[in-house]
Amino acid sequence: MQKRFFLHAIALATVAFTATATLAQDNTFKIGLILPMTGQQATTGRQIEAAARLYMAQNGDTVAGKKIQLIVKDDTSLPDATRRLAQELVVNDKVNVLAGFGITPSALATAPIATQSKTPMVVMAAATSSITQASPYIVRTSFTLPQASVALADWAPKNGIKKVVTLVSDYGPGIDAEKYFKERLIFNGGQVTEALRVPLRGPDFAPFLQKVRDAKPDALFVFVPSGAGAAVMKQFAERGLDKAGIKLIGTGDVTDDDQLNDMGDVAVGVVTSHHYSAAHPSAMNKKFVEAFSKANKGLRPNFMAVGGYDGMRVIYEALKTSKGQGGGDALLAGMKGQIFESPRGKMFIDAQTRDVVQDIYLRKVEKKDGQLYNVEFDVIKDVKDPGKAK
Ligand code: DHB
């Protein structure tokens, strides 16, 4: 009798244990965050991971009854690694969402996995226009290079800049920046006298900048990915381009808030166009910058951080709308059409394109209390990616 009771108790305990285990699994919502945490793009990974963790700290880690689990993987910005990690996250970890993607090749390499597994893929950094067309499961919270470049090509000719040399990193976003800046500048009566491209990996800007100095344009337009701006700025000064009266302009990637403060006086006066500045004067942004800095030893958030923070918002809210139920398609539906206030300003996930619609600002680097900031002086409201119209 006693033995039977004992066995019964074990059986019950086993059932209870299995039920708890299943419940635990069903109640977990996994986000696979693939980022470059080491190598050339490491600052992108550091910024996005910090922002994602801040979002979770501020908004809790339980949403619609699910416990959020963030699984961070380092792809060292090599697209083969991104794809392999995405595959493992989907097959082994059974993640509900893939997120991150520091550079365009990483996002493009992962797109087929998102499609085949019907896993929503939130692109928080990469910014080539065509990315959202690579899979119907991609949603973007960063920006696009056409979006940022066109605004500057409208501003330049009205401000005495007619002859421009362009200098871009030779891959997706750089080619987008070059093309959309040039087309719009020509439309506005300006001209691009030379279009220079530098390699993405280990670029040496010096010989290119020497060429620009000899060509003496009114301005040099630059796109380099986050993390490379300081090297451009240093070489620009060392080659004496500023002294030769050549203006430096570009998308805000070149005056990246992650590095700006250490760039020195050569950066003062540089005009860029972008979707986010740590100096954006809204109450929400002030709170964001303060909390981010406090949680990360004084680090200033850059546009990558804001892409990560808003990406988490998009995931959390989609999970709420789908009430924690349903698979990738239900989540995706909850991501489309979200409209909300971000630290960057108002933003919108276009339900048709799954791409971000947002304000683009013109900014000038200014020194305030000894610190360098991208100070916004004009805004173009609700800019859709011009790349989608073609
Ligand atoms: C991309 C990467 C960047 O670091 C950036 O600032 C813009 C675009 C990209 O690879 O898409």
Side-chain angles (χ1 to χ4, degrees), residues 34 36 41 75-84 86 100-113 121 123 125-128 130-131 134 138 140 169-174 200-201 223 225:
I34 312 178
Q41 306 308 127
D75 68 1
T76 68
S77 86
L78 293 174
D80 284 346
T82 322
R83 182 173 41 225
R84 178 178 51 76
F101 310 103
I103 59 168
T104 290
S106 293
L108 292 178
T110 309
I113 295 170
M121 173 175 157
V123 174
T128 300
S130 65
I131 288 173
I138 292 179
R140 172 156 42 200
S169 288
D170 191 5
Y171 77 120
L200 168 64
R201 311 267 174 205
F223 165 79

Side-chain angles (χ1 to χ4, degrees), residues 44 48 100-103 122-127 140-143 303-304 307:
T44 296
I48 293 180
F101 310 103
I103 59 168
V122 179
V123 174
M124 297 170 161
R140 172 156 42 200
T141 58
S142 51
F143 74 110
F303 61 98
M304 293 302 184

Side-chain angles (χ1 to χ4, degrees), residues 235-247:
Q235 285 296 325
F236 189 85
E238 275 180 19
R239 301 269 139 186
L241 275 79
D242 50 345
K243 305 260 170 0
I246 301 166
K247 292 207 170 66

Side-chain angles (χ1 to χ4, degrees), residues 314-336:
V314 166
I315 297 168
Y316 266 48
E317 293 304 315
L319 184 54
K320 283 185 200 164
T321 337
S322 61
K323 300 191 168 56
Q325 306 296 312
D329 286 310
L331 267 180
L332 185 71
M335 292 179 178
K336 292 179 186 176

Side-chain angles (χ1 to χ4, degrees), residues 152-153 155-167 181 185 188-194 211-222 236 240-250 269-271:
L152 197 62
W155 174 85
K158 288 187 238 150
N159 290 275
I161 297 170
K162 293 266 157 65
K163 267 172 52 183
V164 179
V165 171
T166 59
L167 175 71
F181 178 82
L185 191 73
N188 287 327
Q191 79 190 105
V192 169
T193 53
E194 226 171 329
K211 247 183 129 172
V212 178
R213 191 186 161 147
D214 298 341
K216 279 205 163 181
D218 299 326
L220 171 67
F221 167 87
V222 175
F236 189 85
L241 275 79
D242 50 345
K243 305 260 170 0
I246 301 166
K247 292 207 170 66
L248 179 63
I249 58 174
V270 170
V271 171

